[in-house]
Amino acid sequence: MTHITRSIKMAVALSVITGIALLPKSVHAQATAIPATPWAKPADSELKRRLTPLQYQVTQLAATETPFNNLYWNNHEAGIYVDIVSGEVLFSSLDKYESGTGWPSFTRPLVAANIKTGDDHTIGMERTEVRSAHANSHLGHVFDDGPRPTGLRYCMNSASMRFIPVAKLADAGYSEYAKLFSKSK
């Protein structure tokens, strides 16, 4: 086992315990590029302990939070959104837009490999469900009524995500994403 692999495994273990991404800055970029991460989803009992009831219901039971009454629907701060369970990078504020739906909406994922989709027929209509690739957290749905450049609307639940402002990216172990925001100024 290499030093980097040991560092990643230790950081992931600490991340699971604390709920904060703690990958060392030198290996975080490599960790996000590894297709099969060493991260293991916590047991259901641990998730119930660590998550709020709403976070658990949304991420594990595919519930939907209330529109216009959630943490990030009206967030205009620059930063990234990560999975509340695993810390895997999902979306950027650079791709967030006002959809008028009352949920945070994005035109595309920041790291496409961290998103998976599937058919959802649970409420009598055909929708495309969006889940995180590694934690399998229910995030929301994607629709084809979004703005350019993609024409997509990733309509997400705030309860599925944790927002990390640009000023805290390095402290949270996501420093490689800061360059996205320096280009946008």
Side-chain angles (χ1 to χ4, degrees):
M1 184 182 309
T2 68
H3 171 70
I4 292 174
T5 304
R6 277 193 304 275
S7 296
I8 291 171
K9 285 187 177 191
M10 288 176 14
V12 169
L14 287 171
S15 296
V16 169
I17 293 167
T18 64
I20 300 171
L22 298 171
L23 290 174
K25 294 174 184 122
S26 61
V27 299
H28 187 75
Q30 292 172 332
T32 57
I34 298 171
T37 65
W39 184 83
K41 186 173 180 176
D44 194 59
S45 59
E46 174 63 17
L47 290 174
K48 284 181 179 177
R49 186 188 68 73
R50 217 179 75 192
L51 301 173
T52 68
L54 180 61
Q55 289 170 334
Y56 180 84
Q57 289 171 7
V58 170
T59 61
Q60 305 307 301
L61 304 176
T64 300
E65 66 193 359
T66 307
F68 301 103
N69 189 21
N70 56 75
L71 197 54
Y72 303 128
W73 79 271
N74 201 23
N75 181 26
H76 299 287
E77 193 174 351
I80 65 171
Y81 296 81
V82 301
D83 183 290
I84 195 73
V85 173
S86 65
E88 59 196 288
V89 176
L90 302 171
F91 298 97
S92 164
S93 62
L94 297 172
D95 298 311
K96 189 174 185 283
Y97 72 99
E98 294 299 325
S99 66
T101 63
W103 290 284
S105 297
F106 305 87
T107 58
R108 66 179 141 226
L110 180 55
V111 179
N114 289 344
I115 299 289
K116 63 183 181 176
T117 60
D119 293 338
D120 179 0
H121 304 283
T122 57
I123 61 169
M125 63 186 276
E126 192 170 317
R127 299 182 296 171
T128 302
E129 181 185 23
V130 178
R131 288 185 167 269
S132 62
H134 303 293
N136 197 34
S137 299
H138 170 75
L139 303 173
H141 295 85
V142 62
F143 302 94
D144 61 3
D145 60 0
R148 291 181 183 181
T150 65
L152 298 175
R153 172 173 52 97
Y154 284 85
C155 190
M156 302 293 100
N157 288 285
S158 294
S160 298
M161 302 183 294
R162 181 168 56 99
F163 176 72
I164 303 170
V166 171
K168 299 197 185 243
L169 288 173
D171 292 341
Y174 298 95
S175 59
E176 72 271 20
Y177 296 100
K179 64 184 176 218
L180 298 172
F181 299 96
S182 61
K183 291 179 186 176
S184 68
K185 289 182 181 178

